[in-house]
Amino acid sequence: MKMIRWILGRVILLLNALFSPKAMKRTQAEQQSVNLAVEQLHLYQFDACPFCVKVRRQAKRLALPLQTRDAKKPEFEQELVNGGGKRKVPCLRIEKEDGQIEWMYESNDIIRYLEQRFA
């Protein structure tokens, strides 16, 4: 089973690389504003997770330089469990202007949030 998951993961990554989405165009000033806002976001993910790939593809479509954190690495796994409460990916860590931190877990919710905020 582990071998099948590994092979499927590589297929997903290959297809993602071959059929990469095009990023939307913004003016330089708009993109700089978006880049500053995105600094408050971190995506905890696994490289070959299909739901994580789905979120990363949408971030690319929206031209978001979203910081990713590999939740398989112990330090990021610990941040995810301590902050969000569970080891589940994808998870978007949102640092709000008032200092509060929100942990968003579902890929569709994350995509909806990114579209509403940056589309």
Side-chain angles (χ1 to χ4, degrees), residues 40-42 44 80 83-84 91-96 98-105 109-110 113 117:
Q40 305 305 314
L41 307 175
H42 297 93
Y44 291 80
L80 180 60
C91 180
L92 185 66
R93 179 184 182 272
I94 306 165
E95 188 174 332
K96 300 188 178 192
D98 62 2
Q100 286 186 317
I101 295 175
E102 179 182 349
W103 298 82
M104 188 176 294
Y105 277 97
D109 293 341
I110 294 169
Y113 170 80
R117 186 160 178 204

Side-chain angles (χ1 to χ4, degrees):
M1 186 62 147
K2 194 172 186 177
M3 181 60 83
I4 292 170
R5 290 180 80 183
W6 184 85
I7 292 169
L8 286 175
R10 299 304 158 237
V11 170
I12 289 169
L13 292 174
L14 176 65
L15 291 173
N16 183 49
L18 291 174
F19 302 105
S20 185
K22 293 190 192 277
M24 70 184 301
K25 302 290 184 201
R26 294 189 182 93
T27 66
Q28 188 174 7
E30 289 173 331
Q31 188 62 48
Q32 285 178 335
S33 175
V34 166
N35 292 351
L36 284 175
V38 170
E39 287 180 5
Q40 305 305 314
L41 307 175
H42 297 93
L43 180 66
Y44 291 80
Q45 51 98 43
F46 300 147
D47 283 336
C49 164
F51 299 103
C52 299
V53 170
K54 179 179 169 181
V55 171
R56 289 195 313 263
R57 288 177 66 83
Q58 187 59 30
K60 184 167 184 177
R61 278 187 199 96
L62 295 171
L64 304 176
L66 195 57
Q67 295 180 33
T68 59
R69 294 186 172 175
D70 185 354
K72 288 183 181 178
K73 293 185 178 177
E75 65 271 18
F76 295 137
E77 178 184 12
Q78 201 62 336
E79 284 178 17
L80 180 60
V81 171
N82 291 342
K86 50 189 166 181
R87 184 185 187 260
K88 180 181 172 189
V89 294
C91 180
L92 185 66
R93 179 184 182 272
I94 306 165
E95 188 174 332
K96 300 188 178 192
E97 290 184 22
D98 62 2
Q100 286 186 317
I101 295 175
E102 179 182 349
W103 298 82
M104 188 176 294
Y105 277 97
E106 295 297 322
S107 59
N108 288 331
D109 293 341
I110 294 169
I111 289 170
R112 193 174 309 110
Y113 170 80
L114 295 175
E115 287 174 345
Q116 289 173 350
R117 186 160 178 204
F118 299 107

